[in-house]
């Protein structure tokens, strides 16, 4: 960048003033409850700030600064008082005060340059260039170039002497705190406390990836819920105040973004800024989890409005009430816009009595009815019970449809060839490879035409397809369908659901589908969802076969270089309430992964050695007393405190 591109403006911002704005500044209250407050203020047309304060922990505050797009300029950030600059093991940097009367600061991420659109979606981002860095005994300062048309985002935490213990928490993370966790929308991971601020950007939770096909980052309440469940598990396992702060901040950042009608809108596909109801449900599940922990009027009111919104997003079908997939289904023109963007088509015919725009997507339907039933469990409000019952009947009715069995068996013999991993596909005879190609090019893409005539989602061999209302084929949603069915089974114990789940599991466990997902980068998501489904099953049934499948799935996830689902940390509120959470173990070797199956008085952990060598069973911090270690067949191999080498690529249970 030439000298002419940057105006030599000394636009200076002082950290101390960011956390204690001067009296004449016009503060706008964004959200306030008994536990949290967020205020904002502007500095003319140059910058805007959000300040988060927490009632539960004195002396801890977080400030988001956004230096607005405009002419090229330099921004100077100053911290007064003696500080030592330290690299932080939890990510980012700490400015540790030399004097207890002065605040310490944590900068979890370097300031970053971004471009956004009028809807707040992020179109591009790049690292900011630091052109001057200066530290003395009395102050610390950096100068950052802000190019024309780019905005500059930063986030910083302040800790006074009252909250200095959090600085120590950041300096001493356990191995458990730095093992990767995978989030659904972003299809990326979280691996350290600082990574929260790859998602929480200027007060809103975003996906941490550019979403196909528009290649932008949009707000994601589903990732917010993933973060919340992660912090649930880490909070109970470490007893660190940091994770309580994170949960509160994620919760109220989500509430602050809620629309007047009770919905959360995302604009993943179009400028209609549509709401995707699985994302909306993620926000609701987080609100429900929070209310289970402690009452809060703001949370309660937000949840009631969100429940009222989603309960109206339905379609009457021949099977019963069907919950819709997104707000694009409200309008034919919006559906046409979506199809133009993602080059797809939807089925307008009234299959099973559906309305024209209903895509009959199974996983969102089940997710919504589970979320609304959770609302009833948490609040005691039964006004939506009749709708939930009808929706449950529709879900079971859909799975019970098995017409044209002979035709579908023949079709799926061909389609299963397209689901082979490369290593197996290459071993097929030449004529079978040719048939596989025909299946991929012609049979699978046209399967929807047969489904229009003979509607069903439950296919021969236990495969569950995604939908009936779209003109495409995608078996990669099979694992999320299993997960949602297991969640439904938890809410509504039913032998028909149990049988369907076992059929669907057999479709994976007796095939190479896991290896197929593992080698396909876009469908690593399916692999993690499979692990999540097996985790939920293990907490429902004391069945060794499920634990074996869970352990094998964890190894495949580790081999793929991605994170495990947040639930395995032991903080999923659908599995275990806050009062019944049990602390997880932290291994000294990060190649050992843990699934915390404990709930209340039942303590159980699945320990998986993902390495290609034996590893010693050694834990950080205090060990659980009374755990007995055993193989899957029940044979005891060690008691608590005894040395034991876990064989390579194997697993044991602690009970």
């Amino acid at each position: 960048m030439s000298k002419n591109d940057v105006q030599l403006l000394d636009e200076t911002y002082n950290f101390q003033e960011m956390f204690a704005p001067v009296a004449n500044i016009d503060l706008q209250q964004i959200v306030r409850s008994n536990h949290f407050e967020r205020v904002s203020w502007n500095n003319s047309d140059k910058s805007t700030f959000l300040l988060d304060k927490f009632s539960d922990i004195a002396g801890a505050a977080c400030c988001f600064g956004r230096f607005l797009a405009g002419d090229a300029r330099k921004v100077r950030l100053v911290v007064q008082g003696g500080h030592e600059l330290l690299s932080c093991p939890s990510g980012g940097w700490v400015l540790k005060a030399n004097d207890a009367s002065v605040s310490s600061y944590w900068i979890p991420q370097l300031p970053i340059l971004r471009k956004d659109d009028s809807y707040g979606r992020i179109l591009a981002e790049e690292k900011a260039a630091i052109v001057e860095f200066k530290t003395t005994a009395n102050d610390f300062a950096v100068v950052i170039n802000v190019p024309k048309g780019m905005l500059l985002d930063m986030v910083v935490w302040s800790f006074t002497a009252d909250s200095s213990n959090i600085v120590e928490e950041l300096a001493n993370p356990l191995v458990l705190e730095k093992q990767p966790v995978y989030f659904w929308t972003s299809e990326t991971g979280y691996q350290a406390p600082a990574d929260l601020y790859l998602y929480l950007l200027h007060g809103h939770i975003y996906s941490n990836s550019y979403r196909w096909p528009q290649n932008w980052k949009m707000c994601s309440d589903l990732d917010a819920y993933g973060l919340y469940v992660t912090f649930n598990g880490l909070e109970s396992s470490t007893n660190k105040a940091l994770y309580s702060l994170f949960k509160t901040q994620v919760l109220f950042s989500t509430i602050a973004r809620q629309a007047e009608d009770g919905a959360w809108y995302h604009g993943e596909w179009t400028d209609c800024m549509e709401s995707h109801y699985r994302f909306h449900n993620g926000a609701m599940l987080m609100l429900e989890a929070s209310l289970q922990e402690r009452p809060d009027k703001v949370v309660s009111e937000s949840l009631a409005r969100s429940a009222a919104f989603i309960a109206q997003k339905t379609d009457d079908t021949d099977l019963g009430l069907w919950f819709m997939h997104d707000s694009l289904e409200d309008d034919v023109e919006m559906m046409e816009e979506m199809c133009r963007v993602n080059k797809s088509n939807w089925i307008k015919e009234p299959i099973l009595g559906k309305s024209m725009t209903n895509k009959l997507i199974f996983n969102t339907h089940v997710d919504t009815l589970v979320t609304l039933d959770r609302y009833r469990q948490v609040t005691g409000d039964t006004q939506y019970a009749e709708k939930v019952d009808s929706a449950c009947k529709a879900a079971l009715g859909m799975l019970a449809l098995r017409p044209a069995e002979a035709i579908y068996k023949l079709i799926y013999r061909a389609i299963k060839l397209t689901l082979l991993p490369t290593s197996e596909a290459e071993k097929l005879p030449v004529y079978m490879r040719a048939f596989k190609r025909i299946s991929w090019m012609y049979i699978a893409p046209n399967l929807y035409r047969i489904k229009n005539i003979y509607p069903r989602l439950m296919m021969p061999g236990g495969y569950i397809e995604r939908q009936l209302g779209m003109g495409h084929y995608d078996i990669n949603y099979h694992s999320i369908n299993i997960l949602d069915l297991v969640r439904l089974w938890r809410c509504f114990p039913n032998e028909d659901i149990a049988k369907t789940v076992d059929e669907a599991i057999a479709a994976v466990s007796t095939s190479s589908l896991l290896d197929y997902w593992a080698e396909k980068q876009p469908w690593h998501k399916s692999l993690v969802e499979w692990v999540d489904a097996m985790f939920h099953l293990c907490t429902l049934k004391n069945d060794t076969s499920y634990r074996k499948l869970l352990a094998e799935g964890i190894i495949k996830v580790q081999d793929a270089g991605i994170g495990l689902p947040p639930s395995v940390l032991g903080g999923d509120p659908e599995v275990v309430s806050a009062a019944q959470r049990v602390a997880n173990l932290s291994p000294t070797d990060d190649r050992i992964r843990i699934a915390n199956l404990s709930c209340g008085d039942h303590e159980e952990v699945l320990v998986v050695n993902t390495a290609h060598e034996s590893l010693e069973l050694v834990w950080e911090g205090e060990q659980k007393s009374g755990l007995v270690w055993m193989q899957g067949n029940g044979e005891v191999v060690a008691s608590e405190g005894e040395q034991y080498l876990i064989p390579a690529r194997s697993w044991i249970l602690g009970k």
Side-chain angles (χ1 to χ4, degrees), residues 391-444:
C392 186
K393 177 185 173 185
L396 297 179
M398 179 68 81
L399 294 173
L401 295 175
R402 310 285 176 100
E405 183 74 6
I407 295 173
Y408 281 112
K409 275 187 177 180
L410 186 62
I411 289 172
Y412 254 81
R413 284 184 65 183
I415 284 179
K416 285 168 70 174
L417 291 173
T418 70
L419 305 177
L420 294 174
T422 303
S423 59
E424 292 186 29
E426 289 175 344
K427 295 176 183 177
L428 293 173
V430 173
Y431 76 92
M432 289 293 285
R433 275 183 276 166
F435 189 44
K436 173 180 178 293
R437 184 172 181 81
I438 291 170
S439 299
W440 169 65
M441 292 181 66
Y442 301 107
I443 297 177

Side-chain angles (χ1 to χ4, degrees), residues 35 52 116 137 142 158 170 266 269 277 292 309 316 338 421 426 496 526 562 625 645:
H35 306 106
D52 292 350
D116 64 357
V142 296
S158 170
L170 290 165
H266 314 96
W269 296 101
Y277 297 148
Q292 276 194 310
F309 172 85
D316 289 314
M338 178 206 69
E426 289 175 344
D496 289 337
S526 301
I562 53 179
S625 59
L645 283 176

Side-chain angles (χ1 to χ4, degrees), residues 208-228:
N208 184 27
S209 61
Y210 289 93
R211 303 289 294 171
W212 178 89
Q214 301 286 36
N215 201 33
W216 53 43
K217 290 184 177 182
M218 81 292 181
C219 289
S220 171
D221 316 300
L222 197 54
D223 279 352
Y225 182 53
L227 287 160
Y228 192 91

